[in-house]
Amino acid sequence: MSTPTPKQRPANPSMLQHTLLVAEREVTTQVRSKAFIISTVVMLVLILAAIVVSSVFGDRFGSDPKVAVVPATAELVAGLDGIDPVDAADDAAARQLVEDEEVSAALLPDPDGDDNPLGVVVVAKESAPDTVVSALAVAPPVELLDEPTTSEGLRYVVALGFGLVFMFASLTFGSTIAQNTVQEKQSRIVEILLSAVPPRALLAGKVIGNSILAFGQTAAIAAVAVIGLVVTGQDDTLGLIGAPVAWFVLFFVVGFVLLAAMFAAAASLVSRTEDTGAVLTPVMYLVMIPYFLVIFFNSNETVLAVMSYVPFSAPVGMPVRLFLGTAAWWEPLLSLVILALSAWGVTAIGARIYERSVLRTGRRVKLREALRG
């Protein structure tokens, strides 16, 4: 009589499998949320609309004024910056173009030009066109010792964009991690989760899952911005920001891991949602400070240089420096290494805090107690 062979017990999942399982849970939960989908779509539409509107108004208000010229005055404005000449057969035709508002002004010979050094008169309909008069004014040539590489307006917009995207995405997904952590402690669901998943795997899964979501959203923003610039014909701007945007996405991924570990560790210290403000405020300050620094000091090379090597501000400071062309080729690599090492160290400390405080309910756990165990 044969004895039945005992059934083999299934192998325990590894740390990596536990982590990926939690990460998959975090991603699927957010992706299935209507609020997340709607907010993401609305944000992408607003970004695309902003690019299109800026292009339309830029073409409308940034183009040179049209000026009607006759054969006698055509050579005077040939190659002159700030004027778009429109040929007219004679004085009457040029005046008619002004009357019909097809041009801003007309440049005609002055019949009484004895006291007029230029020998021409500007004809307008209701008011003197200051742009045309300024373009015709005689001014000495200007020599700049340092030619500007980018305009003040574009530099401010790019700095604002990097700072705003970093702050918005970090606060959105960081707050999600913190909120889920506190809710799991408050509802005692974390006890069930930790009966099947180690604490470090639970923390790592939360960080990885939300990092994937943050990276996907940031990459979508970058893709929409590129599409908007291509569609609106702003290829020059795209050429300037293409490489800095790619570096920004890379820096953001590593930087968010650092911040996500801090959000989760800080939230694990409390057991009630109303207590999260006190523990999350320092982390939120670290997220918002780079935004304000890059807005107020986007023209200060010293401040930007310091920002590009501080882990919390490097995801904003270094891409801005790359856009301005003030960073050497090796600087983003060095900054990224510093950021990665910092993220590894902060994640290790955050895992220690999370592991020692996530099961402690009741009063708020002090940071010193969590570190000492």
Side-chain angles (χ1 to χ4, degrees):
M1 182 175 178
S2 62
T3 57
T5 57
K7 295 182 179 180
Q8 294 183 349
R9 293 180 60 186
N12 291 328
S14 63
M15 182 73 172
L16 178 60
Q17 290 175 323
H18 281 305
T19 301
L20 294 179
L21 183 63
V22 176
E24 181 183 1
R25 170 178 172 268
E26 292 289 325
V27 173
T28 53
T29 301
Q30 288 292 329
V31 171
R32 291 174 182 174
S33 171
K34 292 183 179 180
F36 173 77
I37 296 175
I38 293 175
S39 62
T40 301
V41 172
V42 170
M43 179 180 60
L44 295 178
V45 171
L46 290 176
I47 292 174
L48 183 60
I51 294 175
V52 173
V53 170
S54 64
S55 174
V56 171
F57 282 94
D59 292 339
R60 179 177 297 179
F61 298 108
S63 58
D64 296 334
K66 294 182 179 181
V67 178
V69 295
V70 295
T73 59
E75 295 183 359
L76 183 62
V77 298
L80 190 64
D81 294 333
I83 289 181
D84 182 14
V86 177
D87 294 329
D90 50 30
D91 291 13
R95 291 178 180 273
Q96 187 61 44
L97 291 174
V98 175
E99 185 68 28
D100 296 339
E101 297 185 354
E102 295 184 14
V103 295
S104 301
L107 191 61
L108 305 177
D110 188 359
D112 301 325
D114 294 339
D115 298 330
N116 187 346
L118 291 178
V120 294
V121 62
V122 177
V123 178
K125 187 172 183 179
E126 294 180 353
S127 60
D130 295 335
T131 304
V132 178
V133 175
S134 299
L136 294 172
V138 178
V142 178
E143 178 183 354
L144 298 178
L145 297 178
D146 296 323
E147 293 290 338
T149 54
T150 55
S151 65
E152 292 287 340
L154 183 59
R155 176 169 56 189
Y156 181 81
V157 170
V158 171
L160 175 65
F162 284 147
L164 192 60
V165 171
F166 176 75
M167 183 179 68
F168 177 80
S170 298
L171 290 179
T172 298
F173 292 100
S175 299
T176 299
I177 294 175
Q179 183 179 3
N180 291 343
T181 300
V182 176
Q183 287 179 349
E184 289 170 356
K185 285 190 64 175
Q186 192 171 8
S187 62
R188 298 297 182 93
I189 294 178
V190 68
E191 298 177 5
I192 300 175
L193 294 174
L194 292 179
S195 65
V197 179
R200 289 179 178 267
L202 183 60
L203 173 64
K206 288 180 177 293
V207 171
I208 293 176
N210 285 275
S211 297
I212 293 173
L213 292 169
F215 169 75
Q217 192 175 81
T218 306
I221 292 173
V224 167
V226 170
I227 293 173
L229 292 174
V230 172
V231 171
T232 56
Q234 303 181 60
D235 297 334
D236 294 340
T237 303
L238 179 60
L240 291 174
I241 69 171
V245 166
W247 276 104
F248 172 74
V249 174
L250 183 59
F251 269 87
F252 176 82
V253 173
V254 183
F256 181 77
V257 171
L258 182 149
L259 293 172
M262 295 185 65
F263 271 104
S268 68
L269 298 174
V270 297
S271 303
R272 299 184 304 172
T273 305
E274 52 267 28
D275 296 334
T276 56
V279 295
L280 294 182
T281 298
V283 186
M284 291 183 175
Y285 281 155
L286 292 177
V287 175
M288 293 186 292
I289 285 174
Y291 168 74
F292 291 107
L293 285 177
V294 81
I295 292 301
F296 294 113
F297 298 99
N298 62 83
S299 59
N300 191 313
E301 295 185 6
T302 303
V303 174
L304 290 178
V306 174
M307 287 181 60
S308 62
Y309 289 102
V310 176
F312 303 108
S313 58
V316 178
M318 184 56 73
V320 173
R321 289 187 64 205
L322 290 171
F323 168 72
L324 298 176
T326 59
W329 65 268
W330 52 267
E331 290 193 74
L333 299 176
L334 177 60
S335 177
L336 188 61
V337 170
I338 295 175
L339 178 59
L341 292 176
S342 302
W344 178 82
V346 171
T347 302
I349 297 174
R352 184 174 183 176
I353 297 172
Y354 185 88
E355 187 177 16
R356 296 180 177 182
S357 58
V358 71
L359 284 177
R360 299 175 63 177
T361 58
R363 68 177 180 85
R364 170 185 168 184
V365 181
K366 294 182 178 180
L367 181 60
R368 184 179 301 176
E369 294 178 11
L371 290 174
R372 290 181 177 179

